[in-house]
């Protein structure tokens, strides 16, 4: 695999992880667990920043 292919693959994996964190965030909000929801929201924000760089 080339470097570009590996970077693309990693980016797709991170985007999938962001989606998972966002779903967990919504589930925690619905369950009323604000502390845990905030944690997942921060994790997804951190990953988004990594992708933008």
């Amino acid at each position: 695999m080339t470097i570009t292919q590996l970077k693309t693959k990693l980016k797709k994996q991170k985007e999938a992880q962001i989606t998972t964190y966002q779903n967990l965030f919504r589930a925690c909000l619905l369950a009323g667990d604000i502390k845990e929801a905030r944690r997942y929201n921060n994790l997804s924000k951190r990953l988004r920043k990594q992708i933008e760089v």
Side-chain angles (χ1 to χ4, degrees), residues 2-53:
T2 66
I3 300 266
T4 307
Q5 289 172 322
L6 288 171
K7 285 183 179 180
T8 303
K9 184 177 180 180
L10 184 61
K11 185 176 180 180
K12 286 181 182 179
Q13 287 175 343
K14 286 183 179 182
E15 288 170 349
Q17 189 67 44
I18 288 171
T19 303
T20 302
Y21 285 150
Q22 288 173 337
N23 290 339
L24 286 166
F25 167 72
R26 290 185 191 103
C28 288
L29 281 182
L30 288 172
D33 190 351
I34 303 300
K35 187 176 181 182
E36 199 68 10
R38 191 174 293 136
R39 180 176 157 250
Y40 287 119
N41 192 35
N42 288 338
L43 286 170
S44 68
K45 283 181 183 178
R46 225 178 286 148
L47 268 179
R48 262 188 249 126
K49 284 182 183 176
Q50 286 180 8
I51 290 175
E52 289 173 3
V53 171

